[in-house]
Amino acid sequence: MNRTQVMLAIPGNWSSAEGVSEQISLHSEGYTMAGLLLLEDETGKAFTVEVVERDPALAEAMIHASSGGFTPKVAKGIARHTHVVYLIVDVNDLTDVAAARRAANAVLNAGGLGVMVESAGVAYSKDEWQESKEEDLALDYSLLTAITEEENAYMSWGMKAFGHADVAVPMTLDIEDAIHVIHSFNFHLISGGAMFGDGDHFAFEDGRAFTVEMGEDERTTIDNLLHNPFGLIYLVPQAAE
């Protein structure tokens, strides 16, 4: 797995940066905040944290990027947050991805209201993020990635969290089929399936096949948190024989 980082923004109602540390020590269930680090007591994993004051732009972005649509109560709470905890996780393997989700849970338990996945442009309420606390790769994938409908293609975002390129399929596919193809291809990669090169084929059991075209991620500038340094893969449907 390619080394990368995951950045999560977690707004909440805290009195100060020191108040964040105090609430984590009281309510996080196994974490300690020491300066700019959040430490997972059991594993010794360390996560970089930055606490900033209220950011109305973040609240607006989260409400817009909500995966399922925030309830009015959740939206109002996020809009009134006092501070934001930015959680930065160095990812070397899939255990670090799972650790990122656990660390976000800890901050939510300490007063966080929701999570913005900066690398995928998708946001969740506290309840959505914590719907399941089981260790599960499929759940990690579902939380850290998103699919959008662009002008000429359906595209995934956030695969850089797993050290892989994002994927695009043409608008000629209906949206349900496009989502299925993207999820199937992405999960094949993150679960240890064979890697692909330019011109290779990705096939389904029903006989449908796609040609893999490797490319750069030119959807955003390099300094944008959504930019995927591992590239963008185009899956081109092959004509049925």
Side-chain angles (χ1 to χ4, degrees):
M1 180 174 175
N2 296 309
R3 293 186 178 185
T4 185
Q5 283 187 332
V6 170
M7 179 182 288
L8 306 173
I10 306 171
N13 289 316
W14 296 287
S15 59
S16 62
E18 292 75 18
V20 175
S21 179
E22 179 182 342
Q23 291 302 306
I24 284 176
S25 66
L26 291 173
H27 303 294
S28 66
E29 301 178 2
Y31 289 79
T32 303
M33 191 167 164
L36 298 178
L37 293 178
L38 178 67
L39 306 173
E40 188 174 40
D41 300 336
E42 182 177 349
T43 65
K45 286 185 179 293
F47 315 93
T48 302
V49 293
E50 180 181 357
V51 181
V52 302
E53 293 187 354
R54 183 174 182 271
D55 183 354
L58 173 66
E60 184 176 342
M62 288 185 68
I63 292 169
H64 178 73
S66 168
S67 62
F70 291 152
T71 66
K73 181 179 180 180
V74 170
K76 182 180 292 186
I78 289 176
R80 293 178 175 177
H81 74 279
T82 62
H83 290 79
V84 180
V85 174
Y86 283 95
L87 181 64
I88 303 169
V89 183
D90 291 321
V91 177
N92 299 305
D93 56 40
L94 293 177
T95 65
D96 293 328
V97 176
R101 180 158 61 91
R102 294 197 305 270
N105 280 337
V107 179
L108 291 171
N109 289 337
L113 300 169
V115 180
M116 178 73 174
V117 182
E118 297 282 9
S119 56
V122 64
Y124 303 91
S125 69
K126 176 179 178 178
D127 288 345
E128 288 173 325
W129 188 270
Q130 294 189 322
E131 186 173 2
S132 174
K133 295 185 179 180
E134 295 183 5
E135 297 291 317
D136 183 74
L137 179 60
L139 179 57
D140 293 337
Y141 168 76
S142 69
L143 289 174
L144 296 177
T145 64
I147 294 177
T148 61
E149 179 180 336
E150 305 299 329
E151 184 176 353
N152 297 310
Y154 299 103
M155 298 180 174
S156 71
W157 299 83
M159 278 293 286
K160 71 176 184 179
F162 298 90
H164 288 287
D166 275 297
V167 175
V169 298
M171 294 286 289
T172 52
L173 275 65
D174 65 58
I175 186 167
E176 291 186 0
D177 194 26
I179 291 172
H180 173 68
V181 170
I182 291 174
H183 283 331
S184 297
F185 186 85
N186 284 345
F187 202 73
H188 168 87
L189 292 180
I190 69 173
S191 59
M195 300 294 289
F196 295 92
D198 197 47
D200 287 344
H201 299 156
F202 179 68
F204 287 84
E205 292 183 357
D206 62 6
R208 290 185 306 151
F210 295 79
T211 300
V212 175
E213 294 185 357
M214 312 294 291
E216 299 295 325
D217 184 4
E218 299 178 341
R219 300 173 294 179
T220 62
T221 57
I222 293 176
D223 58 346
N224 191 303
L225 290 171
L226 290 171
H227 179 75
N228 191 328
F230 307 114
L232 181 65
I233 295 172
Y234 293 89
L235 295 180
V236 181
Q238 294 180 1
E241 295 182 0

